[in-house]
Amino acid sequence: MARPPKIPRPVDDGPSKTQLKKDMHELQALGEVLTTLSNDKLDQLDLPEGLRDALDELQRVGKHEATRRHMQFIGKLMRDIDPEPIRAQIDRWEMGTRANKAAFKLSERWRDRLLAEPAALAEFVAEQPEVDGPALDVLLKRARLQATRGEAPAASRQVFRVIYRALTKL
């Protein structure tokens, strides 16, 4: 008995099943990120009404299994939209947050250094010429005095604000 001739299978250039699942998991993860955003930030995104309703409804859903199912539903709704503008906006917010954290930490280091080393004031004013050096010097002296007396660090907080505004150009 002769074997039937082999018929070549058509080549499918579309994404594999594995890739489709990976894409769906990424969309569900993006949906989970959306659930952590405040209502103000959600309002800034151009989300379809159904997706926005599902995100709002998640707060009313019960715990555990119901939440998991609802997250899958949000992931399904995410398949119908273009996720790139949402990802881009979230990345912009993240970059702003990282920059704010970096400026905050740098401000803390400058404040601590200025309080510990009076000579560091000239260096800081040279780097940040818009800062009023004599006024900052008065604040630093007051902060040092409050620290030695064990008082509340009100002047130290003011020093921090001056430094933070100078570093972030607020």
PDB file of all heavy atoms in Angstrom, residues 26-38 42 55 71 86 90 94:
ATOM      1  N   GLU A  26       0.960  40.595  29.679  1.00  0.00           N
ATOM      2  CA  GLU A  26       1.478  41.963  29.791  1.00  0.00           C
ATOM      3  C   GLU A  26       0.342  42.977  29.885  1.00  0.00           C
ATOM      4  O   GLU A  26       0.421  43.938  30.643  1.00  0.00           O
ATOM      5  CB  GLU A  26       2.376  42.285  28.597  1.00  0.00           C
ATOM      6  CG  GLU A  26       3.721  41.606  28.650  1.00  0.00           C
ATOM      7  CD  GLU A  26       4.565  41.872  27.416  1.00  0.00           C
ATOM      8  OE1 GLU A  26       4.129  42.650  26.540  1.00  0.00           O
ATOM      9  OE2 GLU A  26       5.660  41.291  27.340  1.00  0.00           O
ATOM     10  N   LEU A  27      -0.720  42.756  29.107  1.00  0.00           N
ATOM     11  CA  LEU A  27      -1.873  43.659  29.177  1.00  0.00           C
ATOM     12  C   LEU A  27      -2.551  43.559  30.537  1.00  0.00           C
ATOM     13  O   LEU A  27      -2.985  44.569  31.095  1.00  0.00           O
ATOM     14  CB  LEU A  27      -2.864  43.351  28.054  1.00  0.00           C
ATOM     15  CG  LEU A  27      -2.417  43.744  26.657  1.00  0.00           C
ATOM     16  CD1 LEU A  27      -3.416  43.244  25.618  1.00  0.00           C
ATOM     17  CD2 LEU A  27      -2.248  45.245  26.545  1.00  0.00           C
ATOM     18  N   GLN A  28      -2.639  42.345  31.072  1.00  0.00           N
ATOM     19  CA  GLN A  28      -3.240  42.191  32.399  1.00  0.00           C
ATOM     20  C   GLN A  28      -2.364  42.873  33.450  1.00  0.00           C
ATOM     21  O   GLN A  28      -2.878  43.517  34.367  1.00  0.00           O
ATOM     22  CB  GLN A  28      -3.432  40.717  32.741  1.00  0.00           C
ATOM     23  CG  GLN A  28      -4.209  40.521  34.029  1.00  0.00           C
ATOM     24  CD  GLN A  28      -4.617  39.078  34.238  1.00  0.00           C
ATOM     25  OE1 GLN A  28      -4.482  38.241  33.357  1.00  0.00           O
ATOM     26  NE2 GLN A  28      -5.120  38.803  35.421  1.00  0.00           N
ATOM     27  N   ALA A  29      -1.037  42.780  33.302  1.00  0.00           N
ATOM     28  CA  ALA A  29      -0.136  43.456  34.244  1.00  0.00           C
ATOM     29  C   ALA A  29      -0.295  44.972  34.141  1.00  0.00           C
ATOM     30  O   ALA A  29      -0.292  45.676  35.156  1.00  0.00           O
ATOM     31  CB  ALA A  29       1.306  43.048  33.969  1.00  0.00           C
ATOM     32  N   LEU A  30      -0.466  45.481  32.925  1.00  0.00           N
ATOM     33  CA  LEU A  30      -0.709  46.913  32.756  1.00  0.00           C
ATOM     34  C   LEU A  30      -2.035  47.299  33.400  1.00  0.00           C
ATOM     35  O   LEU A  30      -2.146  48.356  34.029  1.00  0.00           O
ATOM     36  CB  LEU A  30      -0.709  47.285  31.268  1.00  0.00           C
ATOM     37  CG  LEU A  30      -0.912  48.754  30.943  1.00  0.00           C
ATOM     38  CD1 LEU A  30       0.177  49.620  31.557  1.00  0.00           C
ATOM     39  CD2 LEU A  30      -0.952  48.951  29.434  1.00  0.00           C
ATOM     40  N   GLY A  31      -3.032  46.431  33.271  1.00  0.00           N
ATOM     41  CA  GLY A  31      -4.312  46.671  33.939  1.00  0.00           C
ATOM     42  C   GLY A  31      -4.151  46.726  35.444  1.00  0.00           C
ATOM     43  O   GLY A  31      -4.783  47.542  36.114  1.00  0.00           O
ATOM     44  N   GLU A  32      -3.268  45.874  35.996  1.00  0.00           N
ATOM     45  CA  GLU A  32      -3.021  45.888  37.434  1.00  0.00           C
ATOM     46  C   GLU A  32      -2.351  47.196  37.850  1.00  0.00           C
ATOM     47  O   GLU A  32      -2.651  47.730  38.920  1.00  0.00           O
ATOM     48  CB  GLU A  32      -2.156  44.697  37.836  1.00  0.00           C
ATOM     49  CG  GLU A  32      -2.906  43.383  37.786  1.00  0.00           C
ATOM     50  CD  GLU A  32      -2.038  42.186  38.149  1.00  0.00           C
ATOM     51  OE1 GLU A  32      -1.004  42.377  38.826  1.00  0.00           O
ATOM     52  OE2 GLU A  32      -2.405  41.077  37.757  1.00  0.00           O
ATOM     53  N   VAL A  33      -1.471  47.710  37.002  1.00  0.00           N
ATOM     54  CA  VAL A  33      -0.850  49.007  37.291  1.00  0.00           C
ATOM     55  C   VAL A  33      -1.924  50.091  37.308  1.00  0.00           C
ATOM     56  O   VAL A  33      -1.914  50.983  38.163  1.00  0.00           O
ATOM     57  CB  VAL A  33       0.253  49.326  36.261  1.00  0.00           C
ATOM     58  CG1 VAL A  33       0.729  50.752  36.397  1.00  0.00           C
ATOM     59  CG2 VAL A  33       1.411  48.360  36.411  1.00  0.00           C
ATOM     60  N   LEU A  34      -2.859  50.001  36.367  1.00  0.00           N
ATOM     61  CA  LEU A  34      -3.937  50.996  36.323  1.00  0.00           C
ATOM     62  C   LEU A  34      -4.767  50.981  37.598  1.00  0.00           C
ATOM     63  O   LEU A  34      -5.255  52.019  38.037  1.00  0.00           O
ATOM     64  CB  LEU A  34      -4.842  50.755  35.114  1.00  0.00           C
ATOM     65  CG  LEU A  34      -4.244  51.044  33.740  1.00  0.00           C
ATOM     66  CD1 LEU A  34      -5.235  50.672  32.644  1.00  0.00           C
ATOM     67  CD2 LEU A  34      -3.839  52.497  33.614  1.00  0.00           C
ATOM     68  N   THR A  35      -4.913  49.806  38.210  1.00  0.00           N
ATOM     69  CA  THR A  35      -5.721  49.728  39.434  1.00  0.00           C
ATOM     70  C   THR A  35      -5.048  50.433  40.604  1.00  0.00           C
ATOM     71  O   THR A  35      -5.714  50.769  41.576  1.00  0.00           O
ATOM     72  CB  THR A  35      -6.007  48.267  39.830  1.00  0.00           C
ATOM     73  OG1 THR A  35      -4.775  47.618  40.150  1.00  0.00           O
ATOM     74  CG2 THR A  35      -6.737  47.527  38.736  1.00  0.00           C
ATOM     75  N   THR A  36      -3.741  50.667  40.506  1.00  0.00           N
ATOM     76  CA  THR A  36      -3.027  51.334  41.599  1.00  0.00           C
ATOM     77  C   THR A  36      -3.018  52.849  41.451  1.00  0.00           C
ATOM     78  O   THR A  36      -2.610  53.545  42.375  1.00  0.00           O
ATOM     79  CB  THR A  36      -1.568  50.839  41.682  1.00  0.00           C
ATOM     80  OG1 THR A  36      -0.875  51.220  40.491  1.00  0.00           O
ATOM     81  CG2 THR A  36      -1.510  49.341  41.879  1.00  0.00           C
ATOM     82  N   LEU A  37      -3.447  53.352  40.299  1.00  0.00           N
ATOM     83  CA  LEU A  37      -3.412  54.790  40.048  1.00  0.00           C
ATOM     84  C   LEU A  37      -4.583  55.493  40.722  1.00  0.00           C
ATOM     85  O   LEU A  37      -5.659  54.917  40.894  1.00  0.00           O
ATOM     86  CB  LEU A  37      -3.447  55.074  38.546  1.00  0.00           C
ATOM     87  CG  LEU A  37      -2.271  54.559  37.725  1.00  0.00           C
ATOM     88  CD1 LEU A  37      -2.499  54.856  36.248  1.00  0.00           C
ATOM     89  CD2 LEU A  37      -0.974  55.171  38.188  1.00  0.00           C
ATOM     90  N   SER A  38      -4.368  56.745  41.068  1.00  0.00           N
ATOM     91  CA  SER A  38      -5.434  57.549  41.668  1.00  0.00           C
ATOM     92  C   SER A  38      -6.461  57.914  40.593  1.00  0.00           C
ATOM     93  O   SER A  38      -6.192  57.825  39.390  1.00  0.00           O
ATOM     94  CB  SER A  38      -4.853  58.822  42.274  1.00  0.00           C
ATOM     95  OG  SER A  38      -4.352  59.666  41.243  1.00  0.00           O
ATOM     96  N   LEU A  42      -6.091  58.514  36.528  1.00  0.00           N
ATOM     97  CA  LEU A  42      -6.931  57.772  35.581  1.00  0.00           C
ATOM     98  C   LEU A  42      -7.706  58.723  34.685  1.00  0.00           C
ATOM     99  O   LEU A  42      -7.914  58.444  33.507  1.00  0.00           O
ATOM    100  CB  LEU A  42      -7.895  56.842  36.330  1.00  0.00           C
ATOM    101  CG  LEU A  42      -7.272  55.598  36.962  1.00  0.00           C
ATOM    102  CD1 LEU A  42      -8.311  54.865  37.796  1.00  0.00           C
ATOM    103  CD2 LEU A  42      -6.673  54.690  35.915  1.00  0.00           C
ATOM    104  N   LEU A  55     -12.384  49.478  36.201  1.00  0.00           N
ATOM    105  CA  LEU A  55     -11.385  49.875  37.196  1.00  0.00           C
ATOM    106  C   LEU A  55     -12.052  50.431  38.448  1.00  0.00           C
ATOM    107  O   LEU A  55     -11.621  50.153  39.573  1.00  0.00           O
ATOM    108  CB  LEU A  55     -10.427  50.907  36.605  1.00  0.00           C
ATOM    109  CG  LEU A  55      -9.478  50.383  35.527  1.00  0.00           C
ATOM    110  CD1 LEU A  55      -8.796  51.534  34.820  1.00  0.00           C
ATOM    111  CD2 LEU A  55      -8.468  49.427  36.129  1.00  0.00           C
ATOM    112  N   MET A  71      -9.710  41.044  37.626  1.00  0.00           N
ATOM    113  CA  MET A  71      -8.453  41.456  36.998  1.00  0.00           C
ATOM    114  C   MET A  71      -8.319  40.821  35.616  1.00  0.00           C
ATOM    115  O   MET A  71      -7.826  41.453  34.683  1.00  0.00           O
ATOM    116  CB  MET A  71      -7.249  41.082  37.871  1.00  0.00           C
ATOM    117  CG  MET A  71      -7.114  41.926  39.117  1.00  0.00           C
ATOM    118  SD  MET A  71      -7.026  43.710  38.800  1.00  0.00           S
ATOM    119  CE  MET A  71      -5.649  43.799  37.702  1.00  0.00           C
ATOM    120  N   ILE A  86      -0.874  54.586  27.024  1.00  0.00           N
ATOM    121  CA  ILE A  86      -1.010  54.411  28.473  1.00  0.00           C
ATOM    122  C   ILE A  86       0.358  54.117  29.078  1.00  0.00           C
ATOM    123  O   ILE A  86       0.750  54.724  30.076  1.00  0.00           O
ATOM    124  CB  ILE A  86      -2.014  53.290  28.796  1.00  0.00           C
ATOM    125  CG1 ILE A  86      -3.406  53.690  28.304  1.00  0.00           C
ATOM    126  CG2 ILE A  86      -2.029  52.973  30.287  1.00  0.00           C
ATOM    127  CD1 ILE A  86      -4.419  52.578  28.355  1.00  0.00           C
ATOM    128  N   ILE A  90       2.435  56.454  31.803  1.00  0.00           N
ATOM    129  CA  ILE A  90       2.878  55.890  33.086  1.00  0.00           C
ATOM    130  C   ILE A  90       4.391  56.013  33.208  1.00  0.00           C
ATOM    131  O   ILE A  90       4.907  56.347  34.275  1.00  0.00           O
ATOM    132  CB  ILE A  90       2.399  54.426  33.227  1.00  0.00           C
ATOM    133  CG1 ILE A  90       0.869  54.416  33.414  1.00  0.00           C
ATOM    134  CG2 ILE A  90       3.085  53.732  34.383  1.00  0.00           C
ATOM    135  CD1 ILE A  90       0.249  53.042  33.392  1.00  0.00           C
ATOM    136  N   GLU A  94       6.485  57.908  36.052  1.00  0.00           N
ATOM    137  CA  GLU A  94       7.546  57.228  36.783  1.00  0.00           C
ATOM    138  C   GLU A  94       8.845  58.017  36.737  1.00  0.00           C
ATOM    139  O   GLU A  94       9.536  58.133  37.738  1.00  0.00           O
ATOM    140  CB  GLU A  94       7.784  55.829  36.205  1.00  0.00           C
ATOM    141  CG  GLU A  94       6.818  54.801  36.698  1.00  0.00           C
ATOM    142  CD  GLU A  94       7.030  54.485  38.153  1.00  0.00           C
ATOM    143  OE1 GLU A  94       8.179  54.278  38.581  1.00  0.00           O
ATOM    144  OE2 GLU A  94       6.024  54.440  38.879  1.00  0.00           O
TER     145      GLU A  94
END
